[in-house]
DNA sequence: CAACTAATTATTAATTTTATAATTACTAAT
DNA sequence: ATTAGTAATTATAAAATTAATAATTAGTTG
């Protein structure tokens, strides 16, 4: 690269990656009722001291997994590495969604962070364990997250990530990742209700009337061509549906 | 990094960035009619020979601007640099959308490409000029693009980028980037028709009835609170509208 | 047999959409 | 002064969908 004396300029004091990881937890509380589903995210608790025994900045606080990007790696490389180091989680499909660079966001100085997000099935997170700079790692419901005294500007990052997750869930067929291949309408409904309380979804008569007609959903049929049914959530057999792979783009113009 | 003898393995022969850049050209053909707008993209013509005078692979063919990523830079760094080097264009907001790694896509060997896209106002591209590996640089209508004998797998990359551009235009208020701050409904209509021929947009009575009621569009008012009008496209004064900054997420579930 | 509950369907009024026709507000041409 | 043209706008009537709620069904359990 061209001659450039960085000592002559104010340069960033650090460059980091933060990875917001969401999942949907499903809890079957009643034998005959659909499971309760809630959006959760995985956070790590920062160790009180760093690797040299010195008091850690924002030590003890819950935070988004992440850490410093090394000069020889990209942001996403660092994100993948840090996530694995701090939580033991790997193989997630993460995406970049923003850069957080407000001066003052970190007491250590001018620290710029690249934020990533993923929403994954719970099975991807079962083997998590805190390590490296993390004293603990847990899944929190979004209500609980918002009641935490989070480190740095992580509340802002989480708010933005949440908006993206919600948009994706509502605008695309992302919900299918949290459903069995053949699902009931109430199961789909519960997944969607983890990110919205739109009455068109919350209302059984409205949703049950509309959903079977959506172009990307179809009845699951048995070998004889009859609609498949299940009694896993009710005494009355419920019809099973599946996504048919059609991608829909809903126009905002009508 | 850990000890690793890459000579023991088959490794990629190259790692590149390709940048699909779209714009919408607006041509006022009649004194009293809205302009014709068409989606275009900027392509470069590959030089016949490389910098050492040897015949260039796919020399003479039209292609997406781009080139090899250096080890000391990220894909997006390379994309920005190559775009500027080959076309003189800079300052665009580009986004990554895919990796093209099919073996055989490039006769030179196992070449992996990161694809980026941007859709920008024409004003961002007026100072383009071919340089570096590019013999020429031009804007092509999408019809013309699809009739070109493009280099490598660039037709596939372009097809995917186009789908993303269309989705963004239909799903979000991206159209506003191609309109004056205060626009007529027919101007908005023409922008949208560059990416779709949906009759709900193509039909004047339908579109003119619906558009004013959209939550993210409102009438432009003068100082006296009266609707602003223009005769730039018709003898009869047409109402002017503007986007009001509201972001809408249209649910695919109803 | 009655009661319960998730799933499903029905009902009716209100609203929107569909498909097209008609009108308006300006000109330009005669 | 009148007619014709055209982009923008509005009207019309039938069809379809939505809104809001009630009712019913299909299985159980007690």
């Amino acid at each position: 690269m061209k001659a450039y004396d960085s000592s002559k300029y104010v340069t960033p004091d650090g460059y980091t990656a933060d990875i917001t990881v969401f999942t949907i937890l499903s809890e079957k509380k009643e034998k005959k009722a659909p499971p309760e589903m809630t959006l959760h995210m995985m956070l790590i608790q920062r160790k009180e001291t760093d690797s040299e025994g010195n008091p850690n900045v924002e030590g003890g606080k819950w935070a988004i997994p992440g850490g410093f990007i090394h000069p020889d790696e990209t942001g996403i490389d660092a994100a993948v590495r840090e996530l694995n180091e701090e939580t033991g989680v790997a193989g997630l499909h993460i995406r970049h969604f923003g850069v957080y660079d407000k001066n003052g966001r970190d007491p250590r100085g001018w620290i710029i962070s690249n934020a990533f997000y993923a929403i994954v099935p719970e099975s991807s997170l079962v083997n998590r364990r805190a390590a490296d700079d993390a004293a603990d790692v847990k899944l929190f419901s979004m209500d609980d997250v918002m009641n935490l005294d989070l480190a740095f500007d992580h509340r802002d990052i989480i708010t933005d990530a949440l908006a993206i997750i919600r948009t994706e869930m509502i605008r695309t067929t992302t919900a299918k990742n949290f459903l069995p291949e053949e699902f009931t309408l109430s199961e789909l409904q519960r997944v969607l209700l983890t990110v919205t309380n739109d009455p068109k979804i919350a209302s059984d008569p409205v949703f049950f009337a509309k959903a079977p007609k959506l172009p990307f959903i179809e009845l699951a049929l048995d070998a004889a061509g009859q609609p498949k049914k299940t009694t896993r959530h009710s005494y009355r057999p419920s019809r099973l549906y599946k996504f048919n792979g059609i991608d829909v783009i809903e126009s905002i113009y009508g």
Side-chain angles (χ1 to χ4, degrees), chain A:
Chain A
M1 47 179 128
K2 280 181 178 176
Y4 164 78
D5 186 357
S6 63
S7 67
K8 292 169 64 177
Y9 307 96
V10 177
T11 58
D13 296 303
Y15 189 55
T16 64
D18 286 312
I19 316 92
T20 59
V21 179
F22 296 86
T23 187
I24 293 177
L25 294 192
S26 179
E27 187 183 355
K28 181 84 162 170
K29 286 185 167 175
E30 301 288 341
K31 190 172 190 292
K32 290 294 181 184
E36 273 184 37
M37 295 189 194
T38 43
L39 189 66
H40 278 67
M41 76 177 299
M42 182 173 72
L43 296 177
I44 58 101
Q45 187 177 35
R46 292 173 63 82
K47 277 180 171 171
E48 294 285 359
T49 57
D50 65 18
S51 59
E52 282 150 12
N54 298 316
N56 208 358
V57 167
E58 308 275 65
K61 282 188 175 180
W62 287 92
I64 296 167
F68 288 97
I69 297 169
H70 300 154
D72 63 321
E73 61 185 356
T74 67
I76 201 162
D77 288 336
V80 166
R81 176 182 55 74
E82 289 280 356
L83 186 64
N84 183 243
E85 285 176 0
E86 294 188 351
T87 69
V89 164
L92 306 192
H93 178 248
I94 67 177
R95 299 186 69 175
H96 185 275
F97 73 89
V99 172
Y100 292 80
D101 51 12
K102 186 178 175 185
N103 213 338
R105 63 177 292 272
D106 190 311
R108 292 168 292 190
W110 187 20
I111 308 286
I112 296 161
S113 189
N114 285 268
F116 297 81
Y117 75 96
I119 181 163
V120 300
E122 186 187 2
S123 57
S124 299
L125 307 179
V126 294
N127 292 322
R128 64 190 175 276
R129 46 130 189 81
D132 198 52
D133 297 323
D136 196 1
V137 58
K138 278 178 66 178
L139 296 180
F140 289 87
S141 72
M142 297 320 299
D143 282 343
D144 288 344
V145 168
M146 293 314 175
N147 287 327
L148 290 171
D149 180 18
L150 294 161
F152 312 116
D153 58 349
H154 286 192
R155 180 182 302 280
D156 293 338
I157 299 176
I158 290 169
T159 298
D160 293 348
L162 194 51
I164 292 171
I165 291 296
R166 281 182 163 140
T167 296
E168 280 194 9
M169 190 73 78
I170 290 302
R171 219 183 227 172
T172 75
T173 54
T174 298
K176 79 171 119 178
N177 297 332
F178 304 95
L179 290 160
E181 176 154 349
E182 292 171 353
F183 54 89
T184 65
L185 291 181
S186 60
E187 286 167 340
L188 172 59
Q189 185 184 36
R190 298 272 176 301
V191 168
L192 296 174
L193 289 174
T194 64
V195 295
T196 181
N197 52 22
D198 182 352
K200 289 181 180 179
I201 292 173
S203 161
D204 284 2
V206 173
F207 188 72
F208 282 59
K210 175 82 177 190
K213 299 173 186 169
L214 296 170
F216 49 89
I217 283 174
E218 63 190 31
L219 267 177
L221 303 178
D222 65 18
Q226 294 303 307
K228 278 182 171 177
K229 296 185 174 178
T230 181
T231 54
R232 60 184 179 240
H233 304 316
S234 64
Y235 293 112
R236 175 178 174 170
S238 311
R239 291 194 200 109
L240 285 166
Y241 294 85
K242 60 184 185 181
F243 283 92
N244 59 16
I246 290 179
D247 275 325
V248 161
I249 301 164
E250 202 66 23
S251 172
I252 60 172
Y253 296 97

